[in-house]
Amino acid sequence: MRYGVPAGLLAAALGLVAALTLAPTSAAVTPDTPNTPAVLAAAPTAFAHPGVLNSRAQLDFVRAKVQAGQQPWKAAFDDMLASRYGSLSRTPKPREIVECGSYSNPNLGCTDEREDAIAAYTDALAWYITRDARYAKKSIELMDAWSARIKDHTNSNAPLQSGWAGSTWPRAAEIVKHTYTGGWPGQGRFATMLRDVYLPEVIGGKPNSNGNWELIMMDAAVGISVHLDDRASYDKALAIYLGRVPAYFYLASDGPQPKYPPRSTIDTRSELIDYWHGQSTFVDGLAQETCRDFGHTGMGIAAALHVAETSRIQGRDLYPEFKDRFRHALGFHAKYELGEAVPSWLCGGSLAKGLGPATEVGYNALHTRLGVTMENTRRLTEGRRPAGTENHFEAWETLTHAENPN
């Protein structure tokens, strides 16, 4: 007996704890704080490839549309190739240390890294659609240049910068690795870069930061985990995501106030209102950063939809679960982006608009696949086609996701 516990029972309990601690499985993620629900987030037994934002079936749909000259895909493709990201003469600008302060000040490699990642993704899409090997080789050149040099991200924006670039690199790598047969000797080194440089920076999230940070970081973590076939990291990232989405997009069914951000120190109403940038009236579709500005909110929307899209490809469709949050968030911001008068109760009667190219993936998932009527989102999305890139991590989503049923 020890402290009133039979020795045999104590040994069994300790053995169970050890087994749970050491087990390599990753079906469940334990909450870090009492207000965080335990979330079952089992990764697929085998990941689908290519499977980060775009599946093979989706890419085949796009390729057929472009080859047939159909719109809006042909115009979107032409715009992509004509952009600086589609240039076959692009020279990569890798750095050993990328230093990014708040709002990318200082900017020591921050823009170069993000834009080289977008270029690699652009070239990967161009390769798949045209089957011109020059584009696959250029994508490989960009990925190899960075994987040969980068070692770390520093300064205050390091997690967000890692999220922006880290969400884009695996989209490119998935297409090239799993569809280009011309060879990529450096793919192992590239995978090591994702595992050692990017994943540690994003996988833990940022509970107390504005929500777009954590959503973008999980966009990166989920994509990297798919590319690495890393089930444990996938589960951890998806669990953080499943807690963050309901804390970022409000629904009236949540109660009189939004959910507290999981794992954070925000746990009073006054702290929550401050966190929601002073907004104290909550309606369906309002986002945590609506009263900050639509630019950051658009990034949060885009990242949330990217993860949902990748999860669907990997066998777990999150759209039915988050359909109402997504449709209300898209429609709420679309109507004001389109020019509807801002009521006095919303953000003091003034909004900093500029949503960015954030709506295509969600509009396609909810309207094309699920048949949800989304008039404001439709008007905004179709009126801005073809959507390009905001030069951070959203790129060419009219091309890849407009009316794509797969």
Side-chain angles (χ1 to χ4, degrees), residues 28-377:
V29 175
T30 302
D32 294 329
T33 61
N35 68 343
T36 306
V39 180
L40 185 67
T45 303
F47 288 101
H49 300 291
V52 177
L53 190 58
N54 306 289
S55 68
R56 189 181 295 270
Q58 288 172 308
L59 292 168
D60 285 341
F61 173 88
V62 173
R63 183 168 187 255
K65 293 294 187 183
V66 172
Q67 288 184 327
Q70 296 185 25
Q71 302 297 353
W73 305 274
K74 181 63 166 60
F77 176 73
D78 290 343
D79 279 4
M80 182 185 78
L81 279 195
S83 74
R84 66 182 183 273
Y85 299 109
S87 172
L88 288 169
S89 61
R90 184 182 185 89
T91 301
K93 299 177 180 178
R95 293 177 65 97
E96 184 173 297
I97 305 296
V98 174
E99 182 179 355
C100 308
S102 181
Y103 292 92
S104 295
N105 182 23
N107 184 339
L108 301 177
C110 316
T111 299
D112 292 336
E113 180 187 31
R114 293 194 310 267
E115 295 195 353
D116 277 350
I118 292 172
Y121 177 51
T122 300
D123 290 324
L125 288 171
W127 143 251
Y128 197 90
I129 291 167
T130 66
R131 293 302 196 268
D132 184 338
R134 292 179 301 164
Y135 289 108
K137 292 175 181 177
K138 176 56 70 170
S139 184
I140 289 170
E141 177 190 339
L142 291 159
M143 291 189 284
D144 282 353
W146 279 89
S147 68
R149 189 156 187 202
I150 189 169
K151 293 183 179 178
D152 199 8
H153 296 86
T154 63
N155 215 317
S156 59
N157 254 31
L160 184 58
Q161 174 72 18
S162 300
W164 283 327
S167 66
T168 311
W169 287 126
R171 295 177 208 158
E174 279 289 287
I175 295 171
V176 172
K177 179 180 178 179
H178 297 285
T179 71
Y180 177 62
T181 59
W184 179 14
Q187 65 180 254
R189 187 180 68 200
F190 182 83
T192 298
M193 176 191 77
L194 293 181
R195 178 178 289 107
D196 294 347
V197 178
Y198 290 89
L199 190 58
E201 195 71 61
V202 299
I203 192 64
K206 291 285 286 186
N208 288 303
S209 295
N210 281 298
N212 84 87
W213 276 56
E214 196 155 86
L215 289 168
I216 291 166
M217 292 165 72
M218 292 312 105
D219 187 3
V222 164
I224 291 169
S225 298
V226 169
H227 189 65
L228 299 178
D229 293 303
D230 183 341
R231 299 181 72 246
S233 293
Y234 184 91
D235 281 355
K236 183 173 182 178
L238 192 59
I240 292 174
Y241 169 87
L242 292 172
R244 174 58 70 170
V245 169
Y248 193 74
F249 305 111
Y250 175 78
L251 284 180
S253 58
D254 295 334
Q257 66 180 39
K259 296 177 182 293
Y260 292 113
R263 308 170 1 268
S264 77
T265 59
I266 300 164
D267 59 6
T268 68
R269 180 173 172 82
S270 62
E271 289 174 339
L272 193 71
I273 290 172
D274 184 61
Y275 183 61
W276 282 63
H277 299 275
Q279 182 67 16
S280 58
T281 300
F282 303 103
V283 297
D284 285 333
L286 188 77
Q288 181 256 316
E289 293 182 274
T290 299
C291 294
R292 182 189 184 191
D293 58 64
F294 275 26
H296 288 93
T297 302
M299 287 186 175
I301 290 171
L305 293 166
H306 292 168
V307 174
E309 196 73 0
T310 296
S311 178
R312 180 178 181 271
I313 294 167
Q314 299 305 328
R316 178 174 176 177
D317 189 352
L318 297 173
Y319 287 114
E321 178 179 346
F322 289 136
K323 177 180 68 175
D324 288 339
R325 291 191 194 275
F326 289 161
R327 72 179 179 90
H328 281 299
L330 287 164
F332 180 86
H333 293 89
K335 70 180 179 181
Y336 294 115
E337 190 79 359
L338 288 165
E340 182 164 317
V342 182
S344 60
W345 59 264
L346 177 61
C347 308
S350 177
L351 294 170
K353 295 187 288 187
L355 196 61
T359 62
E360 283 281 14
V361 173
Y363 181 66
N364 180 63
L366 299 178
H367 177 71
T368 304
R369 295 187 193 132
L370 298 182
V372 178
T373 300
M374 306 171 70
E375 182 57 21
N376 289 325
T377 307

